[in-house]
């Protein structure tokens, strides 16, 4: 809309390619480029490896990357998920949040020497989005 008016439709001469609108992912990539953001890496893995994830965060940050990773370990008692059913309800929300972190990321780093069902699903999701996936322990790559 231009000053309250609809923009006139553009006509394309015969044989000329019509530009396709950008996907949300392409808009995000373009915005990251315009903002000159460093690469974003999403750390994935079992929460049993929270210490290793923190170390990976330090290494990736030192290498100039923005790091996103799990922020809650539901296996460790905490007042925020102490009530009956609170941990399960929170897990569903945290899983959705982590998938958003994977969408935001340019690549994924899987930490640890064990891949459970949740991590396996995150790896499959990242690969379905054509995100590069690295492993601290390449032997656990389910597709290797």
């Amino acid at each position: 809309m231009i000053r309250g008016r609809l923009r006139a439709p553009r006509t394309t001469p015969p044989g000329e390619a019509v530009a396709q609108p950008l996907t949300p992912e392409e808009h995000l990539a373009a915005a990251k480029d315009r903002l000159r953001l460093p690469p974003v890496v999403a750390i994935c893995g079992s929460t049993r490896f929270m210490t290793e994830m923190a170390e990976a965060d330090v290494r990736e940050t030192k290498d100039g990357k923005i790091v996103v990773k799990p922020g809650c370990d539901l296996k460790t008692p905490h007042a925020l998920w102490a009530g009956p059913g609170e941990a399960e309800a929170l897990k569903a929300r945290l899983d959705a949040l982590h998938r958003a972190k994977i969408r935001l990321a340019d690549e994924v780093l899987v930490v640890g020497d064990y891949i459970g069902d949740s991590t396996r699903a995150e790896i499959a999701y990242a690969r379905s989005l054509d995100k590069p996936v690295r492993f601290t322990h390449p032997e656990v790559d389910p597709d290797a």
Side-chain angles (χ1 to χ4, degrees):
M1 201 183 265
I2 302 173
R3 294 186 188 184
R5 294 179 290 151
L6 292 176
R7 189 175 287 172
R10 235 177 67 192
T11 58
T12 305
E16 187 176 310
V18 177
Q20 296 297 314
L22 295 178
T23 65
E25 293 81 8
E26 291 167 333
H27 278 289
L28 178 59
K32 287 179 181 178
D33 286 344
R34 283 192 308 275
L35 292 169
R36 296 188 179 138
L37 293 178
V40 178
V41 60
I43 294 179
C44 296
S46 170
T47 55
R48 70 175 72 170
F49 299 117
M50 291 298 271
T51 301
E52 291 86 347
M53 287 183 196
E55 180 63 25
D57 185 345
V58 170
R59 291 178 186 280
E60 296 294 315
T61 299
K62 179 192 162 286
D63 288 344
K65 297 176 184 173
I66 295 171
V67 178
V68 293
K69 66 183 189 329
C72 298
D73 176 6
L74 297 181
K75 294 175 185 154
T76 302
H78 193 283
L80 291 176
W81 51 84
E86 286 179 339
E88 279 307 309
L90 181 57
K91 181 175 180 356
R93 292 197 325 265
L94 293 176
D95 287 348
L97 179 62
H98 200 64
R99 285 190 300 275
K101 291 175 183 180
I102 292 169
R103 287 191 307 277
L104 177 67
D106 299 301
E107 64 177 320
V108 170
L109 174 61
V110 180
V111 173
D113 60 359
Y114 162 80
I115 302 292
D117 292 339
S118 293
T119 303
R120 189 177 320 279
E122 292 167 355
I123 293 166
Y125 183 64
R127 287 181 167 155
S128 77
L129 300 172
D130 293 324
K131 304 283 182 177
V133 179
R134 295 184 288 127
F135 294 80
T136 59
H137 294 77
E139 68 277 7
V140 300
D141 182 349
D143 294 339

